[in-house]
Amino acid sequence: MSHPSARTSDPAAGPRAPVAPLSQYVLKLASRCDLSCDHCYVYEHPDQSWRRQPRLMTPDTVEATARRIAEHAATHRLDTVRVVLHGGEPLLAGAARLAATATTLRRAVTPVARLDLRMQSNGVLLTPEIADVLVAHDVKVGISLDGDRTANDRHRRYANGASSHDQVRRALALLRHPAYRSAYAGLLCTVDLANDPIRVYEALLAEEPPRIDFLLPHANWDRPPARPDGVATPYADWLLTIHRRWLADGRPVPIRLLESLLATAAGGSTGTEAVGLAPADLVVVETDGTFEQVDSLKSAFHGAAATGLDVFRHPVDEAAAHPGIAVRQSGLAGLCATCRSCPLVRRCGGGLFAHRYRSGTGFDNPSAYCADLAALIRATAMPADPVADRSADSLRPAVLDDLGSGRGSAESVGQLAAVHHGIARALTVALSPAATADPVAAAGWRLLVALDVSAPDAVQAVLSHPFVRQWAQRCRAGATGELPHLAAVAAAAAVRAGAAADLVLPVRAGAVHLPTLGAIVVDTAADTVPVVIADGAVELRAGRRRVRVGPAAGPHPDRWKPARVARTDDGAVLLEDTDPYRDCFDLPVASRLTPAVADHWTRQVERALRRLDAEAAGYAAGVRTLLRAVVPLRPDPSGRSRSAVARSAFGAVAVTPVVDDAALAVLLVHEVQHLKLDAVLDVCELFDPADARRLRVPWRDDPRPVEGALHGVYAHLAVADVWRQRPGAEAAAHFRRYREWTDATVDALLDLGSLTVDGERFVRRLRAALDDWR
């Protein structure tokens, strides 16, 4: 009886659709195991096909497999092929058979592709003789270990119940030996909620692995994962406990799942089939030579992994064309409707394929770990280059339409604020490996990680400050000398939280700067000063002097320079004239203001915001949600009112002194429009970045790039709308001028052919807003 996939090679069937090549192979050298782990998907789950398999793969089967892999690699011109020797337990094959298998594979594959040869083992049978084989044949071995003795013995025991822990640790000690270190690939750990996550992490780290991988226990909708009552995301919580400690340690070893979440957030490729939309281009070869789908499917039902194909009769192309394998290479199209409509889908990828199974609907479901994956992604998926990260899925079409009107509801603008908060947080996290090399920054980083657990609101308030993002971007750009400021960031969070801490803080231009709070003047020539933080105050300890300053310490005008605050009905806006990173605008910033001048500024900001509520309510939500700081600029020599924003200091508007609150209100709306568009562009590509053409615009003498023209029309539409609401002939003239500027440039952008689908949708919403005014 012919198998359906075999019929595709019949010439009478017509041309066959091209298949996506497979570059990864799992060879089951042994179908038995010397341990009896009760969570093993091969022996303890519904599929029991192992019982009919030969105990070991014969040399003839290895030879046939090697020929098929080489044939496939040559046909598809693959650069690299990865083969994983697996089981059961592959070490049951013994040293001689392992050496012969490696020789056969390299002889067949190396002439056409680089062979990345690996092994996954429980390690208990590893000996110096076998380790010599691994090194001689360049085989990298990963070892399964679930943590310390208590954690490991919860599942990984012999059939008689005896512990395997000592034998596994002996194998790991052997791999750490200089002669065998090159064969050590890393550790594989299965999550168990009964195990303490930090003890597991520390036990794994003690084995000095090149890499750690955490696996969720195999489960599905028919056999759901164990969950404590009342805990919505216990697996995410367990892994996030490790994540926080890992960050605090400066990411001392790659953790594949966490690194993959970071990579998918940045639009990169995942390192695991557990997350992301990258093709799972893998096939299993059983000991009898049969091709099977990924063996984790054995946890679903008996025969779930079967293909009906084998290496003796069928080329790899036929295995690649099998529906069960092909669907796992189809990306978004291979997911269920629920997953396809989820905003996290490009990062999650629907989770591990085996975990989606449910009787009646097969694998056309979200993962049984859906809630845990969502929580993990939201907490850990921070891009490697957060500012460059763009994903149109991050803003729903309805939100893009709302913002495209020029105004934007509080909910829509709140999503933009969340984009900024995520980027600022991601930038700070990305500095953690470098920070651990600097003692001042390292202490700050440890405190910040601890506060993120005990006082997350205080950490959020500081990390969302515009000039923390500006500082972090400078560090990311190579200004590593700025890293000690991380201690000041942590100190500000500690003061806000009322937490206690001992730190050393950097001194800059004769002061210690606490973002969002102010500056402390010091009288030391040293680069740093020790401080004690307690009860919302900071005690300086320079020499024999003890000076207590800060929000909770009372007035101390010769030492404490607090950030001034403009109070609003629903929050506060900082008048920022102390932060050293505020000098990021094209215009010169003012020095520290006198109390009288600062009071005039704060009252003017408060009146401007109240004016917006009365005469420009459609823009007030955007200003109140996004505006975090007003930076006074030096007066312009010409007497003109000037204002500016910087994308790297999101949430700050810099302004020269203005005549009244009416003028300031217009400037705030104008600049916050730029902030809004910057936040949209952080996650949505609205135009072709490779298009270098420039547009003539009415408000500038020099032609503008597409992004500049887009920024201009978005800001000028809002200014026109504000003037439209004001009475009088002068307001009407301003309205007409700004409307005409916007009208002409919107049409030019639509005619240019550079806008993406999202960009055209956005600009057409601007066009509709202008047309409504007619």
Side-chain angles (χ1 to χ4, degrees):
M1 182 177 182
S2 62
H3 188 273
S5 64
R7 289 198 295 270
T8 62
S9 61
D10 183 352
R16 184 174 64 190
V19 299
L22 302 179
S23 66
Q24 300 187 69
Y25 301 82
V26 173
L27 268 60
K28 299 282 190 168
L29 283 192
S31 66
R32 304 296 189 271
C33 189
D34 46 350
L35 294 184
S36 185
C37 307
D38 60 13
H39 58 6
C40 180
Y41 59 85
V42 174
Y43 304 109
E44 302 297 331
H45 283 247
D47 191 303
Q48 293 291 298
S49 57
W50 64 272
R51 297 180 182 278
R52 61 171 173 76
Q53 289 291 339
R55 289 181 176 271
L56 297 172
M57 183 178 281
T58 67
D60 287 346
T61 304
V62 173
E63 185 73 43
T65 302
R67 286 199 307 269
R68 290 299 192 191
I69 294 172
E71 170 188 272
H72 188 72
T75 299
H76 295 278
R77 298 181 179 179
L78 299 180
D79 294 326
T80 302
V81 168
R82 173 173 289 186
V83 176
V84 181
L85 307 179
H86 211 281
E89 173 48 54
L91 294 185
L92 288 171
R97 194 182 291 255
L98 286 172
T101 299
T103 299
T104 299
L105 288 165
R106 290 208 180 277
R107 183 174 60 241
V109 177
T110 300
V112 296
R114 187 180 77 85
L115 177 60
D116 178 7
L117 192 53
R118 295 177 178 257
M119 177 190 292
Q120 186 61 41
S121 169
N122 61 37
V124 300
L125 294 178
L126 188 66
T127 63
E129 182 186 12
I130 291 176
D132 286 336
V133 169
L134 299 180
V135 172
H137 293 273
D138 192 18
V139 181
K140 305 288 192 295
V141 60
I143 301 295
S144 299
L145 178 70
D146 286 348
D148 59 10
R149 181 182 296 276
T150 300
N152 200 66
D153 288 353
R154 202 177 297 280
H155 302 287
R156 297 188 183 278
R157 292 179 173 271
Y158 289 94
N160 64 3
S163 170
S164 66
H165 189 250
D166 288 342
Q167 290 88 334
V168 178
R169 293 205 65 212
R170 187 163 53 244
L172 293 171
L174 185 63
L175 289 173
R176 290 196 301 273
H177 190 279
Y180 304 124
R181 182 77 194 190
S182 64
Y184 191 5
L187 296 176
L188 181 71
C189 174
T190 300
V191 173
D192 190 313
L193 300 178
N195 296 329
D196 178 82
I198 297 302
R199 289 182 62 185
V200 168
Y201 168 78
E202 290 175 342
L204 300 180
L205 207 60
E207 302 299 339
E208 301 175 23
R211 180 177 295 273
I212 296 173
D213 197 11
F214 288 103
L215 297 184
L216 295 170
H218 288 309
N220 53 52
W221 293 102
D222 287 0
R223 295 160 52 99
R227 294 183 183 279
D229 291 342
V231 183
T233 57
Y235 294 91
D237 298 344
W238 195 94
L239 287 164
L240 288 173
T241 301
I242 289 176
H243 176 253
R244 286 190 290 269
R245 171 63 183 275
W246 179 63
L247 291 180
D249 289 347
R251 294 155 69 175
V253 60
I255 295 180
R256 188 166 69 151
L257 177 60
L258 302 181
E259 300 272 1
S260 293
L261 288 170
L262 292 174
T264 56
S269 178
T270 177
T272 171
E273 61 179 327
V275 293
L277 287 172
D281 59 339
L282 177 148
V283 69
V284 176
V285 181
E286 283 287 353
T287 52
D288 65 353
T290 55
F291 284 118
E292 288 200 341
Q293 302 169 61
V294 61
D295 49 356
S296 59
L297 294 183
K298 295 178 184 291
S299 63
F301 58 89
H302 185 74
T307 66
L309 309 172
D310 62 69
V311 297
F312 301 104
R313 299 176 300 155
H314 306 99
V316 175
D317 270 17
E318 292 199 17
H322 185 277
I325 293 175
V327 73
R328 298 176 62 245
Q329 299 202 70
S330 59
L332 194 65
L335 301 180
C336 68
T338 301
C339 289
R340 291 197 302 272
S341 64
C342 176
L344 302 179
V345 65
R346 297 189 182 280
R347 301 171 183 182
C348 171
L352 196 70
F353 191 74
H355 297 169
R356 306 174 201 166
Y357 179 73
R358 187 198 297 266
S359 297
T361 54
F363 298 95
D364 192 30
N365 308 288
S367 168
Y369 289 100
C370 180
D372 292 282
L373 291 172
L376 268 174
I377 287 166
R378 291 190 177 103
T380 66
M382 298 172 180
D385 186 0
V387 179
D389 179 31
R390 297 181 179 186
S391 169
D393 290 56
S394 297
L395 290 179
R396 299 191 310 273
V399 174
L400 202 60
D401 286 348
D402 185 31
L403 296 167
S405 70
R407 297 184 170 193
S409 67
E411 180 184 2
S412 296
V413 178
Q415 289 198 27
L416 298 183
V419 168
H420 157 63
H421 296 160
I423 289 174
R425 186 180 179 90
L427 282 163
T428 307
V429 170
L431 297 176
S432 59
T436 55
D438 181 288
V440 173
W445 176 245
R446 289 191 295 270
L447 175 60
L448 197 65
V449 170
L451 289 171
D452 199 32
V453 177
S454 62
D457 290 345
V459 174
Q460 175 81 323
V462 177
L463 293 187
S464 60
H465 184 52
F467 303 113
V468 168
R469 175 169 168 179
Q470 165 68 11
W471 156 77
Q473 285 191 211
R474 283 193 192 178
C475 291
R476 290 278 286 165
T480 54
E482 309 275 7
L483 279 172
H485 187 64
L486 182 57
V489 172
V495 170
R496 284 180 165 273
D502 287 15
L503 284 175
V504 173
L505 299 184
V507 176
R508 181 176 181 140
V512 168
H513 298 273
L514 302 179
T516 73
L517 299 177
I520 306 169
V521 177
V522 298
D523 54 3
T524 176
D527 294 333
T528 59
V529 62
V531 303
V532 174
I533 300 169
D535 303 322
V538 180
E539 183 179 286
L540 289 172
R541 294 192 172 184
R544 295 183 178 182
R545 296 196 62 183
R546 300 288 188 270
V547 180
R548 185 173 168 83
V549 297
H556 209 308
D558 62 327
R559 291 284 185 179
W560 177 233
K561 308 296 182 186
R564 280 67 172 255
V565 177
R567 302 292 176 183
T568 66
D569 294 338
D570 54 356
V573 175
L574 292 178
L575 184 67
E576 188 57 86
D577 60 356
T578 61
D579 196 293
Y581 295 95
R582 73 189 190 282
D583 60 345
C584 55
F585 305 98
D586 293 335
L587 302 169
V589 298
S591 301
R592 175 74 172 176
L593 304 178
T594 66
V597 173
D599 184 59
H600 173 75
W601 269 94
T602 55
R603 285 187 282 109
Q604 196 171 60
V605 170
E606 291 166 355
R607 289 196 300 267
L609 292 175
R610 286 195 294 271
R611 178 180 283 273
L612 289 180
D613 289 333
E615 65 183 22
Y619 300 94
V623 174
R624 289 184 175 277
T625 302
L626 298 186
L627 184 64
R628 288 287 173 266
V630 171
V631 178
L633 296 172
R634 295 178 189 171
D636 189 80
S638 69
R640 293 173 52 205
S641 294
R642 303 288 299 277
S643 59
V645 294
R647 191 169 182 175
S648 60
F650 186 87
V653 171
V655 190
T656 59
V658 293
V659 293
D660 55 26
D661 55 276
L664 180 58
V666 174
L667 289 177
L668 291 179
V669 168
H670 179 275
E671 298 301 343
V672 169
Q673 288 296 100
H674 289 304
L675 294 179
K676 286 160 65 176
L677 188 57
D678 277 338
V680 171
L681 292 173
D682 277 334
V683 290
C684 292
E685 200 161 77
L686 300 184
F687 57 89
D688 179 3
D691 191 339
R693 288 178 292 173
R694 291 177 173 258
L695 291 171
R696 289 282 180 188
V697 295
W699 61 87
R700 291 281 293 256
D701 293 333
D702 55 322
R704 305 298 293 151
V706 176
E707 183 172 358
L710 192 57
H711 263 286
V713 297
Y714 198 59
H716 290 147
L717 178 135
V719 171
D721 206 358
V722 173
W723 284 116
R724 189 170 69 97
Q725 311 299 324
R726 292 183 175 177
E730 182 183 4
H734 285 312
F735 163 65
R736 286 193 298 272
R737 180 170 72 253
Y738 282 102
R739 185 194 63 191
E740 289 166 3
W741 285 357
T742 308
D743 201 54
T745 309
V746 161
D747 288 341
L749 283 167
L750 289 170
D751 292 341
L752 189 63
S754 183
L755 300 178
T756 64
V757 172
D758 283 331
E760 183 157 341
R761 181 183 190 124
F762 188 81
V763 176
R764 287 198 181 282
R765 286 288 294 156
L766 296 177
R767 174 78 271 163
L770 288 165
D771 290 344
D772 284 346
W773 296 347
R774 298 185 189 282

